[in-house]
Amino acid sequence: MNGVILQPKMRKDKRHFAAVIPARGGSKGIRLKNIKLLCGQPLLSWVLRAIIDSNEFDSIWVSTENADIARVAAEWGAQVHHRSPEAAQDNTLAVDTMTEFAEHHPEVDILAMIQCTSPLLHPWMLHEPVKMIREHKYDSVFAVSRRHLFRWKEIQKPGELTVPENLNPSYRPNRQAWPGELYENGQFYMFTRELLDKRLFQGGKVSYYELPEASSVDIDTDLDWSIVEQRVTKFGYFGLEKKKNVKLVVFDVDGVITDDEIHISDKGEEFCSYHRSDLEGIKLLKKAGIEVRLLTENSNAPSVRLISEKIECMLEIGVKNKVELLTKWVEELNLDWQQVTYMGNDETDIPAMRKSGLGAAPADAQTETRYAARFIATNRGGRGAVRQFCDYILRLSEK
């Protein structure tokens, strides 16, 4: 992900539109929350990936006072605004953080403040709001979600009675019969510099953009973390949007389908193990009409041959140049690289992962390999990682 280069669209609106992610290092609830690993990747990376892939902004920034957060931000393709200690206190307001950024960047005309702790951001969620500002000349647009909750007045003192605030108790509508209410979900606020100069995020010609309730999550505590991790695995943005036409899925066997451990029997025979659900996942891909192929660097792999025969997949052994082999397969099947996905676990897999439309890795892959991956399973290699990736590919291919 290093060295990301923005290639902005040709636009009639020449105003400089900057995306800014506030990412303070002093989180009290979860230490260094903004770079804690979520599904194998720093929390910050999830929103950065979506922002970069949206190709909507002239510059992308992370505002932080923390050196570790700054390093991760740069590794994932963002520029770093080194905020002052005064703008990084527990009681610092978001408007103060954005004002300080704007003061140091007079070239910026429009700002999008995007929340790092809402990792279920997708590129498509940014397209229309940006268009509303650039083309329809809104001064501010912010994210909302719809909620179906009945509100009651809070009791302030003993003996006081509560009253309903948004319902008639004699008629409690079903969810289908009530449109619900719109709430700010905090995922993003877009606004002009003129509004910010008035210390406002919303004003002038103002509107909202409604996001799905499932994507409206915010990590604040450890409990939130476990819930969001489950949602990211199912709904997160891994580099491909829905309904992509995946035609070829390639797995490096060692450490992906097998657990990368060598077991020795009493007779001195070597063997490895795999997870039954992983092979079932591969069978589901094949049933959906997706070609699955295996490769291994190992030139003497009898157990791997048995696995390939069991699931009836093509296997190439003794592979030294994985990109070269993938290129041969892509040409043979007359595919576009965006139709190819690759799952590996070692640094030798990184070129193939980056060349394919979607690179993936198990949870226990090498650190550099996980950084190169777009999809990272929460399970280990040989322990269900392949099945998680298969399920994700099948969701991508849903019509």
Side-chain angles (χ1 to χ4, degrees), residues 259-310:
D259 59 11
D260 210 20
E261 297 178 359
I262 299 298
H263 307 274
I264 302 176
S265 70
D266 293 340
K267 297 180 180 180
E269 298 170 328
E270 294 185 355
F271 63 94
C272 58
S273 62
Y274 63 88
H275 202 281
R276 182 178 296 171
S277 72
D278 288 339
L279 301 196
E280 290 302 316
I282 291 175
K283 290 177 183 178
L284 289 174
L285 288 182
K286 295 181 63 180
K287 186 177 180 180
I290 298 172
E291 179 77 9
V292 179
R293 296 187 178 184
L294 313 178
L295 59 83
T296 176
E297 294 181 49
N298 195 342
S299 57
N300 182 24
S303 58
V304 173
R305 287 192 181 93
L306 290 174
I307 292 173
S308 69
E309 291 172 4
K310 185 179 289 287

Side-chain angles (χ1 to χ4, degrees), residues 6 29 71 107 112 127 175 189 203 211 215 230 232 254 293 295 329 346:
L6 294 179
R71 175 183 55 79
E107 76 280 5
H127 295 323
R175 184 183 179 92
Y189 297 84
L211 296 177
S215 69
Q230 294 176 6
V232 166
D254 306 308
R293 296 187 178 184
L295 59 83
W329 285 346
D346 212 332

Side-chain angles (χ1 to χ4, degrees), residues 124-137:
W124 67 263
M125 297 177 182
L126 300 170
H127 295 323
E128 186 60 26
V130 169
K131 183 178 180 181
M132 292 168 72
I133 287 183
R134 283 201 182 276
E135 298 183 18
H136 302 301
K137 306 305 179 185

Side-chain angles (χ1 to χ4, degrees), residues 23-290:
R24 194 169 65 91
S27 171
K28 299 300 181 186
I30 304 174
R31 185 179 179 276
L32 286 179
K33 170 175 61 179
N34 293 314
I35 55 172
K36 181 179 176 180
L37 295 185
L38 177 72
C39 294
Q41 294 181 343
L43 176 62
L44 176 62
S45 70
W46 291 98
V47 291
L48 271 177
R49 173 184 293 152
I51 296 168
I52 291 169
D53 287 0
S54 74
N55 197 27
E56 292 288 359
F57 300 97
D58 300 299
S59 61
I60 299 171
W61 298 83
V62 171
S63 171
T64 186
E65 86 297 358
N66 182 274
D68 291 328
I69 294 177
R71 175 183 55 79
V72 172
E75 286 175 350
W76 284 82
Q79 299 181 72
V80 178
H81 170 72
H82 298 277
R83 76 165 85 166
S84 67
E86 293 76 21
Q89 302 301 310
D90 291 344
N91 59 354
T92 300
L93 299 176
V95 68
D96 294 321
T97 298
M98 297 303 293
T99 296
E100 184 197 62
F101 171 85
E103 288 173 350
H104 284 81
H105 299 281
E107 76 280 5
V108 174
D109 304 298
I110 316 167
L111 302 97
M113 183 179 70
I114 301 178
Q115 183 166 264
C116 178
T117 53
S118 296
L120 291 176
L121 187 70
H122 283 243
W124 67 263
M125 297 177 182
L126 300 170
H127 295 323
E128 186 60 26
V130 169
K131 183 178 180 181
M132 292 168 72
I133 287 183
R134 283 201 182 276
E135 298 183 18
H136 302 301
K137 306 305 179 185
Y138 282 90
D139 298 303
S140 56
V141 178
F142 58 97
V144 301
S145 293
R146 193 173 298 274
R147 302 179 68 182
H148 294 75
L149 298 174
F150 296 130
R151 290 184 288 106
W152 289 76
K153 180 182 177 183
E154 184 177 355
I155 293 175
Q156 300 293 333
K157 56 186 178 181
E160 190 174 274
L161 301 179
T162 187
V163 294
E165 293 189 329
N166 67 343
L167 81 152
N168 180 351
S170 64
Y171 173 67
R172 300 177 63 88
N174 294 328
R175 184 183 179 92
Q176 301 89 333
W178 181 45
E181 296 179 329
L182 297 178
Y183 290 79
E184 291 185 23
N185 66 21
Q187 279 188 273
F188 61 76
Y189 297 84
M190 302 182 184
F191 44 87
T192 62
R193 175 182 283 269
E194 289 76 16
L195 271 180
L196 183 60
D197 289 342
K198 300 175 183 177
R199 297 182 60 79
L200 293 172
F201 292 157
Q202 297 146 313
K205 185 179 178 182
V206 59
S207 189
Y208 60 80
Y209 186 70
E210 185 176 347
L211 296 177
E213 187 176 356
S215 69
S216 301
V217 296
D218 183 23
I219 296 176
D220 189 40
T221 67
D222 284 321
L223 178 60
D224 298 329
W225 197 276
S226 59
I227 295 172
V228 171
E229 192 164 49
Q230 294 176 6
R231 288 206 191 182
V232 166
T233 301
K234 188 171 183 179
F235 301 114
Y237 175 66
F238 294 90
L240 288 177
E241 293 286 20
K242 284 280 189 181
K243 299 185 171 77
K244 286 291 183 180
N245 192 20
V246 176
K247 291 292 187 180
L248 173 64
V249 180
V250 180
F251 295 102
D252 185 355
V253 176
D254 306 308
V256 177
I257 292 179
T258 67
D259 59 11
D260 210 20
E261 297 178 359
I262 299 298
H263 307 274
I264 302 176
S265 70
D266 293 340
K267 297 180 180 180
E269 298 170 328
E270 294 185 355
F271 63 94
C272 58
S273 62
Y274 63 88
H275 202 281
R276 182 178 296 171
S277 72
D278 288 339
L279 301 196
E280 290 302 316
I282 291 175
K283 290 177 183 178
L284 289 174
L285 288 182
K286 295 181 63 180
K287 186 177 180 180
I290 298 172

